[in-house]
Amino acid sequence: MFVAPRYGTGSLADLFPSLLAGLGVPGEVDRLSLGCTADRICVLLVDGLGAEALAANADVAPFLSSLVPAELAAGFPSTTATSLSSLGVGVPPGEHGIVGYLINVPGYDRLVNSLRWRLHGEGPKVDLLRELIPEKIQPNATVFERAAADGIAVTQVAPHYQAGSGLTRAVLRGCEFRPNVSTGDLVAGVAEALRAGDRALIYAYHGDLDTTGHVRGPSSDAWLLELAHVDRLAATIAEHLPPNAALVVTADHGMVELDARIDFDNTPPLQDGVARLGGEPRARHVYTTGGAAAVAATWQEFLGADFHVLSRADIIARGWFGPTVSPHVADRIGDLVVVAAGSRGIIRTGAEPLQAMLIGHHGSLTPAEMNVPLRVYRT
């Protein structure tokens, strides 16, 4: 069963515009009917926290589970770079253009890693920050730029490596960046930012749960112990909220564990007619050498019913990237897009050895990957 993105009514892209409306920013609409009219709002993004996983482990996360349960749907694919872009710009992937983890950008003979803003694979070293200028690749005003233009004090609290990164410049620009070096430092940074100005908006990112899920699996003891830490983190931020403030906790995607892997690098039938393979194991962009229909038939027969092999035109028509896909964005989408419905994934042991070893994965449209929690605490 797939979860269709709920762009405009219940997606991750609708969160910040709804909060900006509550903060009184002209032109913004409360698309989620949150009615959050606090003067100071902190959004805590917990990378990798699926709504299903949180609900199944309510006893491990008593603070988050005590809040009124609600959900948002990530966009497609359900991966960090795409979700953070939807969150930070307030529009679907078809408009912001970050349509996957590894994507084709015309003019380059290698795929672009949109999360790390660098070319994928072996080849000459290229400084993409200078060549592929983030502000030009994604020129829409971010939600932070829109908030700051209305006089709101906007702060991002995140690990130092995200400061000035390509993805930050493309989709999260427009706010003061406050690097954190630990969980306690994250809380301290949020508490400090909450005291700025007459109105304040803080975006805080926490990534350890996602890392743990990838390496140990989202059903592991390590993941559950990390979830307990995340719950305490959220509770501690709540304790530091000033009057008339709100804490909003959400995530960019959930996660599943693979029960079988198909290795593209050791499967010749899948390689015929394929120029480059992008995306990630649960949602692959297939860029063909021509004759995409023949490649699609081969892949569908080989992979079976728990994979959906769709043409670019088909997937755009389904609205998975949003109701509108800009022409320059369409060029980044694979000639084919292959989406996992079961618990398998398409790995590359040669080209992507570290990713191939991971236990937890995401990217597809299953409920475990797509549905993310929305929890709101108000003072």
Side-chain angles (χ1 to χ4, degrees), residues 25-26 46 56 59-60 76 79 114 117-118 130 136 204 270 284 306 323 341 375:
V25 178
V46 182
D59 58 324
V60 178
F76 178 78
T79 195
S114 61
W117 216 263
R118 67 188 184 199
R130 301 185 69 176
K136 291 185 178 180
L270 296 183
R284 285 291 188 182
D306 60 349
R375 299 289 188 274

Side-chain angles (χ1 to χ4, degrees), residues 303-374:
L303 296 173
D306 60 349
F307 281 89
H308 292 240
V309 181
L310 303 170
S311 70
R312 178 187 296 152
D314 287 341
I315 201 164
I316 290 175
R318 292 185 181 212
W320 288 354
F321 289 110
T324 301
V325 176
S326 302
H328 71 281
V329 174
D331 291 339
R332 301 173 193 171
I333 299 170
D335 298 300
L336 304 173
V337 179
V338 181
V339 188
S343 301
R344 296 190 293 164
I346 302 166
I347 63 168
R348 300 196 66 182
T349 53
E352 300 162 4
L354 295 179
Q355 186 183 63
M357 292 188 296
L358 296 177
I359 296 173
H361 291 268
H362 50 81
S364 184
L365 291 144
T366 67
E369 293 159 278
M370 280 287 287
N371 292 331
V372 297
L374 178 64

Side-chain angles (χ1 to χ4, degrees), residues 86-179:
S86 298
L87 184 79
V89 188
V91 299
E95 295 178 53
H96 62 63
I98 309 300
V99 293
Y101 174 63
L102 298 178
I103 58 176
N104 176 68
V105 175
Y108 291 92
D109 59 2
R110 287 183 282 161
L111 297 175
V112 170
N113 183 319
S114 61
L115 188 62
R116 295 178 173 82
W117 216 263
R118 67 188 184 199
L119 294 181
H120 179 66
E122 298 181 357
K125 187 174 181 179
V126 176
D127 185 357
L128 278 195
L129 283 176
R130 301 185 69 176
E131 282 200 12
L132 200 64
I133 299 173
E135 294 84 356
K136 291 185 178 180
I137 286 293
Q138 199 301 105
N140 298 296
T142 70
V143 293
F144 302 140
E145 289 176 315
R146 282 140 51 189
D150 196 53
I152 297 172
V154 189
T155 306
Q156 179 179 353
V157 182
H160 65 86
Y161 68 85
Q162 295 183 10
S165 71
L167 190 66
T168 294
R169 284 174 52 185
V171 303
L172 300 171
R173 62 179 180 266
C175 54
E176 179 183 349
F177 191 97
R178 202 276 196 187

Side-chain angles (χ1 to χ4, degrees), residues 112-344:
V112 170
N113 183 319
S114 61
L115 188 62
R116 295 178 173 82
W117 216 263
R118 67 188 184 199
L119 294 181
H120 179 66
E122 298 181 357
K125 187 174 181 179
V126 176
D127 185 357
L128 278 195
L129 283 176
R130 301 185 69 176
E131 282 200 12
L132 200 64
I133 299 173
E135 294 84 356
K136 291 185 178 180
I137 286 293
Q138 199 301 105
N140 298 296
T142 70
V143 293
F144 302 140
E145 289 176 315
R146 282 140 51 189
D150 196 53
I152 297 172
V154 189
T155 306
Q156 179 179 353
V157 182
H160 65 86
Y161 68 85
Q162 295 183 10
S165 71
L167 190 66
T168 294
R169 284 174 52 185
V171 303
L172 300 171
R173 62 179 180 266
C175 54
E176 179 183 349
F177 191 97
R178 202 276 196 187
N180 71 278
V181 297
S182 66
T183 300
D185 193 37
L186 185 152
V187 176
V190 168
E192 179 183 352
L194 282 166
R195 296 191 293 270
D198 295 326
R199 293 175 297 161
L201 179 65
I202 298 93
Y203 162 67
Y205 171 89
H206 185 70
D208 291 351
L209 189 73
D210 180 71
T211 302
T212 305
H214 279 304
V215 176
R216 302 301 183 193
S219 65
S220 65
D221 289 342
W223 192 91
L224 292 173
L225 289 167
E226 188 59 40
L227 176 61
H229 283 290
V230 165
D231 189 68
R232 185 57 195 157
L233 166 63
T236 305
I237 292 175
E239 291 168 2
H240 285 77
L241 291 179
N244 198 29
L247 169 64
V248 179
V249 182
T250 190
D252 52 349
H253 57 74
M255 194 174 290
V256 298
E257 295 183 7
L258 300 187
D259 61 16
R261 291 164 165 78
I262 300 98
D263 185 3
F264 174 85
D265 291 340
N266 289 297
T267 309
L270 296 183
Q271 299 170 13
D272 290 342
V274 176
R276 284 179 282 182
L277 186 66
E280 55 197 299
R282 298 282 296 168
R284 285 291 188 182
H285 288 277
V286 183
Y287 303 95
T288 67
T289 58
V295 175
T298 298
W299 277 60
Q300 192 65 78
E301 181 179 4
F302 186 90
L303 296 173
D306 60 349
F307 281 89
H308 292 240
V309 181
L310 303 170
S311 70
R312 178 187 296 152
D314 287 341
I315 201 164
I316 290 175
R318 292 185 181 212
W320 288 354
F321 289 110
T324 301
V325 176
S326 302
H328 71 281
V329 174
D331 291 339
R332 301 173 193 171
I333 299 170
D335 298 300
L336 304 173
V337 179
V338 181
V339 188
S343 301
R344 296 190 293 164

